[in-house]
């Protein structure tokens, strides 16, 4: 984007950010989620800013993006979790994560033993925090490939860590 487009977008953002945030709050009922949803909508608009010919239709595009973001968030598996006042006690026999992976160094050493493509996917997804689509774009492959490499990489990482635990306790 050239400077003129950046200035136009900045002006639009400044004028509309509070209204979009309020709309997002009305859609989700949580100010923190509303901030995230508004940011998602503005990022989408920024990406397509040069392609929006009718600037009067920008508000409609933002609203549509906002609604889709709310729907997408509601479909995510972690959203199906319920909050509870009392946390369940962990099973006495089950080893905790601290027992299975003692230090960051152990995790990094085990990660080096995972095949390179799988390691790349794991790093992008879990260390860099990218979603499947962003990781696929960064790696130049399909989202399905990212998903399968993630599953295989996690399985390999578990195997390496279990061998380490069995060998060194």
């Amino acid at each position: 984007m050239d400077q003129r487009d950046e200035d136009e977008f900045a002006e639009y953002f400044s004028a509309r950010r509070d209204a979009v945030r309020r709309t997002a709050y009305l859609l989700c009922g949580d100010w923190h989620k509303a901030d995230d949803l508004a940011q998602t909508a503005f990022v989408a608009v920024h990406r397509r800013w040069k392609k929006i010919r009718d600037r009067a239709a920008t508000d409609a595009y933002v609203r549509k993006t906002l609604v889709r973001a709310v729907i997408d968030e509601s479909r995510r598996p972690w959203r199906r979790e319920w909050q509870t006042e009392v946390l369940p006690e962990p099973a006495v026999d089950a080893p905790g994560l601290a027992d299975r992976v003692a230090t960051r160094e152990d995790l990094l050493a085990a990660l080096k033993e995972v095949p390179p493509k799988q390691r790349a996917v794991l790093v992008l997804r879990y260390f860099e925090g990218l979603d499947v689509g962003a990781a696929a774009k960064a790696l130049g492959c399909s989202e399905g490939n990212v998903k399968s490499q993630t599953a295989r990489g996690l399985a390999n990482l578990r195997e390496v860590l279990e061998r380490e635990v069995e060998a060194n306790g």
Side-chain angles (χ1 to χ4, degrees):
M1 251 191 329
D2 62 11
Q3 189 59 42
R4 192 183 103 249
D5 288 334
E6 286 289 345
D7 292 341
E8 285 178 4
F9 176 79
E11 183 179 318
Y12 175 79
F13 175 77
S14 295
R16 300 296 300 153
R17 74 174 164 225
D18 292 334
V20 170
R21 184 174 178 254
R22 280 191 300 272
T23 302
Y25 175 76
L26 293 173
L27 289 168
C28 72
D30 181 312
W31 282 112
H32 297 290
K33 290 177 188 170
D35 289 336
D36 292 344
L37 294 167
Q39 178 180 349
T40 299
F42 281 119
V43 167
V45 170
H46 185 267
R47 268 192 238 126
R48 308 220 9 115
W49 189 256
K50 286 183 84 168
K51 296 179 182 179
I52 299 174
R53 285 182 245 139
D54 183 10
R55 297 286 192 221
T58 305
D59 285 344
Y61 181 76
V62 170
R63 276 190 300 276
K64 187 176 185 178
T65 304
L66 200 55
V67 168
R68 285 183 176 169
V70 169
I71 292 169
D72 287 348
E73 283 292 314
S74 70
R75 290 180 179 158
R76 301 220 167 122
W78 59 266
R79 298 277 302 156
R80 295 186 193 116
E81 294 177 1
W82 293 291
Q83 293 182 1
T84 180
E85 293 295 322
V86 180
L87 294 174
E89 292 297 320
V92 177
D93 296 345
L97 181 62
D99 295 334
R100 295 191 337 218
V101 180
T103 64
R104 177 181 168 92
E105 289 81 21
D106 293 337
L107 177 61
L108 294 175
L111 194 59
K112 289 178 183 176
E113 294 186 41
V114 174
K117 278 186 107 174
Q118 294 171 6
R119 184 180 333 125
V121 170
L122 293 176
V123 167
L124 289 175
R125 296 284 321 279
Y126 299 107
F127 286 83
E128 295 294 322
L130 297 182
D131 63 5
V132 173
K137 188 174 182 180
L139 294 170
C141 63
S142 70
E143 290 185 13
N145 190 5
V146 169
K147 291 175 187 178
S148 66
Q149 292 294 324
T150 300
R152 289 183 190 122
L154 287 173
N156 284 334
L157 187 60
R158 261 187 226 107
E159 184 180 311
V160 170
L161 288 170
E162 286 171 4
R163 279 196 320 255
E164 179 66 26
V165 168
E166 287 172 9
N168 298 328

